[in-house]
Amino acid sequence: MDPKDDEQGASSSGAATIVDSSTGKRKRLFSKELRCMMYGFGDDTNTFVESVDLIEDLVIDFITEMTLKALNVGKKGRVNSDDIIYLIRNDPKKYARVKDLLNMNEELKKARRAFDDEYSG
């Protein structure tokens, strides 16, 4: 797909969205993943498109809101993991999940380095 085919628009919540200029419809970014997650949490294998679209709108709004808040917390124009951690520090479930994911990411980096070192030299 040609990058010129996509334009930035604004949703009703004020969040930026990607609009396909050929159809004029909003481009869905997370549909496949959300369908799988919804099925994993007990939804039917054939989820309603409207349900997936609603969840996606909520996810996009959440990500946009958190990103805008994070831009105001840390260095101007940059977002890093510490900014996100600061924003969710009062939500124990989110905080624990982010810490787990960051720790797992570090373990994966170490394992990749060890693997690369073992087989490259």
Side-chain angles (χ1 to χ4, degrees), residues 2-111:
D2 189 353
K4 292 183 274 183
D5 290 344
D6 291 337
E7 299 175 356
Q8 291 292 328
S11 70
S12 59
S13 66
T17 58
I18 297 175
V19 178
D20 186 351
S21 62
S22 61
T23 62
K25 293 184 179 179
R26 181 169 170 224
K27 187 175 180 181
R28 296 295 173 177
L29 302 173
F30 304 114
S31 303
K32 183 178 177 183
E33 293 83 0
L34 288 172
R35 285 180 192 277
C36 292
M37 288 176 69
M38 290 170 71
Y39 177 69
F41 281 100
D43 200 355
D44 190 46
T45 54
N46 298 318
T47 57
F48 290 123
V49 174
E50 294 84 3
S51 298
V52 176
D53 289 349
L54 176 65
I55 299 291
E56 183 164 355
D57 289 341
L58 293 171
V59 168
I60 297 285
D61 287 346
F62 176 79
I63 292 170
T64 302
E65 181 182 322
M66 289 298 287
T67 303
L68 291 173
K69 286 180 181 178
L71 282 170
N72 293 326
V73 169
K75 292 181 181 177
K76 295 295 180 195
R78 297 190 70 182
V79 175
N80 64 32
S81 57
D82 292 334
D83 301 334
I84 302 298
I85 292 169
Y86 177 78
L87 290 173
I88 61 166
R89 71 191 182 282
N90 294 326
D91 187 333
K93 284 185 179 182
K94 288 178 188 170
Y95 184 81
R97 181 68 175 151
V98 166
K99 284 297 196 180
D100 287 343
L101 290 171
L102 289 173
N103 288 335
M104 183 61 68
N105 190 37
E106 284 302 314
E107 289 178 28
L108 287 171
K109 283 181 185 178
K110 289 177 186 176

